Amino acid sequence: MKILVTGGAGFVGSFLCESLHKSGYEVRIFDNYEPQVHSGSQSNLGALLQPNGLPLKGIEILYGDTRSPTQLDAALKDVDAVIHLAAQVGVGQSMYEIHRYVDHNTVGTAVLLELLASRKHSVKKLVVASSMSIYGEGGARCSNCGDVTPTLRDGGQMKLGDWEVRCPICNRTASPTATNELKPVLPTSIYAITKRDQEEMCLVVGRAYDIPAVALRFFNIYGPRQSLGNPYTGVAAIFSSRLLNNHAPVVFEDGNQTRDFVHVTDIVQAITLALAKDEANGQVFNVGTGRPTSIKDVATILARKMRRDVAPRIENKFREGDVRHCYADIDKIRRHLGYKPAVELEVGIEDLIAWAEDQQAEDRFEHAAAELAKRGLAR
Ligand code: UD1
């Protein structure tokens, strides 16, 4: 089988392509080498190249942008499946680079789907990278009203440093619960809206044209190769880059907000299962670990393991579009596809550190923070 992986040179894509290649798939990598992600970092594809720099047998590397029908059409030639990972990924940045995010993520996916809808092709499976961010706030329970679907927190409430989620019915503080796929989606950033678009567009077009499609809602992915020079990337990479430069990780809110941190190799496991199993077709699945970890704990674990005596700087500021708590209920993917997360955060973070210590980590956090502050998006 020949698999096209859009975004195949990226953080998740490169691990996926290595694993698919090892399992005997032919892999065509399609990537635009986004400078914000790739500049200054070593290639993620080293393991897929021969000593002379050419790709290994069974690997093709195409430079291309998903917004270009011509480039994408060429990339689709003779492929049996498409794994669509290419996207811009910064939640904060998406709140001011609105056109760019919609263009790459929503329009790029539209280009892919229109080609599949209108040209002769050999694609028999489509897996799309969706995101937990489409849920907005995660599941919550109120002691008075039971399970509730909270909306985005109120600005006035947060100005007072009151960070927790409230019950939408009685306004009491609600406690987080595991979020399952039935929770209504309520995206709270442009990035999240584009991820919902990607998910829904792939499922709708897949159904209409008989192309089995699967959407995987990734929770917070971490691991080696998450761009250290990109200040708009995930929090574990940003904190690593800060610590490598002996700077304090800067924590928004009070640091007790939680996320479900899932190691990149577990994401590869989930994609591979979705690709291979017919039971996945037409479905959406959460991909996480089922365990919440606070952002303050991530900063502390990283500093301890990196032997940096640097305490996190708790900002008590709020980043527009951020949710307070979201962790995955992974029962569906466990039962239907046999997914089982294998990497604990305390262990997986060591992979990230071992890799990061070998990199030139340019800390551009202050630049990104200033961009948000200037626009009133972190306050
Ligand atoms: C992340 C990903 C998104 C993905 C989603 C679900 C990024 C930029 N975002 O969104 O692509 O779809 O997970 O997998 O990779 N924080 C700090 N200090 C910082 C940076 C972040 O305190 O320097 C806090 C944020 O305010 C937030 C939490 O850490 O509360 C997580 O932020 P982030 O890593 O950006 O992830 P998500 O917004 O959850």
Side-chain angles (χ1 to χ4, degrees):
M1 266 183 97
K2 185 179 281 188
I3 318 284
L4 170 65
V5 181
T6 72
F11 163 43
V12 173
S14 61
F15 278 99
L16 174 69
C17 294
E18 274 177 38
S19 165
L20 291 173
H21 182 251
K22 270 201 197 112
S23 308
Y25 290 100
E26 284 181 57
V27 182
R28 182 175 292 151
I29 293 166
F30 182 85
D31 205 294
N32 72 342
Y33 288 88
E34 167 64 51
Q36 181 171 299
V37 175
H38 291 272
S39 67
S41 61
Q42 293 164 8
S43 165
N44 292 332
L45 299 179
L48 295 175
L49 303 177
Q50 307 172 39
N52 64 8
L54 292 173
L56 296 176
K57 189 168 177 297
I59 296 286
E60 272 176 86
I61 304 175
L62 297 186
Y63 170 85
D65 191 311
T66 48
R67 295 167 303 168
S68 159
T70 320
Q71 291 174 345
L72 206 47
D73 194 30
L76 282 167
K77 192 170 179 316
D78 298 332
V79 300
D80 298 290
V82 178
I83 299 176
H84 184 34
L85 304 179
Q88 301 291 329
V89 299
V91 173
Q93 191 179 38
S94 77
M95 297 299 286
Y96 56 92
E97 296 200 7
I98 298 169
H99 186 166
R100 185 159 81 91
Y101 272 74
V102 172
D103 203 22
H104 279 269
N105 297 1
T106 304
V107 176
T109 304
V111 170
L112 169 67
L113 295 173
E114 194 166 311
L115 287 169
L116 293 176
S118 56
R119 306 264 169 101
K120 206 166 167 316
H121 64 79
S122 45
V123 175
K124 292 175 276 297
K125 186 93 176 215
L126 171 62
V127 180
V128 61
S130 181
S131 163
M132 120 291 187
S133 63
I134 73 173
Y135 288 118
E137 282 297 344
R141 185 165 300 135
C142 167
S143 56
N144 195 39
C145 308
D147 287 335
V148 289
T149 301
T151 52
L152 196 55
R153 292 167 291 169
D154 172 74
Q157 165 197 341
M158 287 195 291
K159 265 196 201 126
L160 303 171
D162 176 2
W163 306 114
E164 286 303 334
V165 166
R166 297 292 183 83
C167 169
I169 302 163
C170 72
N171 212 33
R172 281 189 174 81
T173 302
S175 325
T177 57
T179 302
N180 72 33
E181 292 84 350
L182 296 175
K183 180 190 175 287
V185 299
L186 206 65
T188 60
S189 68
I190 295 295
Y191 167 77
I193 289 171
T194 67
K195 279 285 149 185
R196 184 190 63 189
D197 288 347
Q198 289 189 313
E199 172 179 314
E200 292 180 350
M201 287 161 68
C202 287
L203 292 174
V204 163
V205 174
R207 194 161 29 236
Y209 290 90
D210 271 339
I211 306 166
V214 188
L216 298 177
R217 294 177 177 169
F218 299 146
F219 279 62
N220 291 62
I221 313 173
Y222 72 98
R225 302 186 196 158
Q226 190 163 23
S227 176
L228 295 178
N230 179 5
Y232 307 97
T233 190
V235 68
I238 294 174
F239 285 178
S240 304
S241 173
R242 297 282 294 165
L243 288 163
L244 284 169
N245 288 285
N246 289 312
H247 297 149
V250 177
V251 173
F252 294 116
E253 306 181 27
D254 60 357
N256 292 321
Q257 67 270 39
T258 57
R259 295 289 187 277
D260 184 337
F261 288 91
V262 53
H263 193 263
V264 62
T265 54
D266 283 329
I267 294 292
V268 169
Q269 181 199 154
I271 297 173
T272 312
L273 289 166
L275 177 68
K277 299 214 166 195
D278 289 345
E279 298 90 308
N281 297 349
Q283 298 288 322
V284 300
F285 295 98
N286 284 342
V287 188
T289 65
R291 257 179 261 117
T293 304
S294 78
I295 299 304
K296 198 162 62 183
D297 283 352
V298 172
T300 312
I301 297 169
L302 276 167
R304 171 165 47 81
K305 290 197 182 268
M306 291 169 87
R307 298 178 204 283
R308 297 291 202 284
D309 192 14
V310 186
R313 199 170 92 206
I314 310 279
E315 287 277 86
N316 286 301
K317 277 190 188 155
F318 166 67
R319 201 173 65 169
E320 191 57 47
D322 267 347
V323 299
R324 180 66 174 171
H325 301 291
C326 195
Y327 70 99
D329 179 334
I330 53 171
D331 194 47
K332 182 174 176 188
I333 189 165
R334 211 196 278 277
R335 273 189 296 115
H336 291 258
L337 306 186
Y339 164 82
K340 191 167 182 282
V343 186
E344 301 259 354
L345 181 62
E346 286 264 355
V347 177
I349 235 168
E350 290 178 5
D351 290 355
L352 167 62
I353 294 170
W355 170 82
E357 285 180 336
D358 241 16
Q359 308 293 308
Q360 298 285 1
E362 193 194 348
D363 175 11
R364 298 187 62 241
F365 173 82
E366 298 293 353
H367 167 80
E371 286 285 336
L372 288 184
K374 187 169 85 187
R375 293 174 166 82
L377 295 174
R379 50 178 185 256

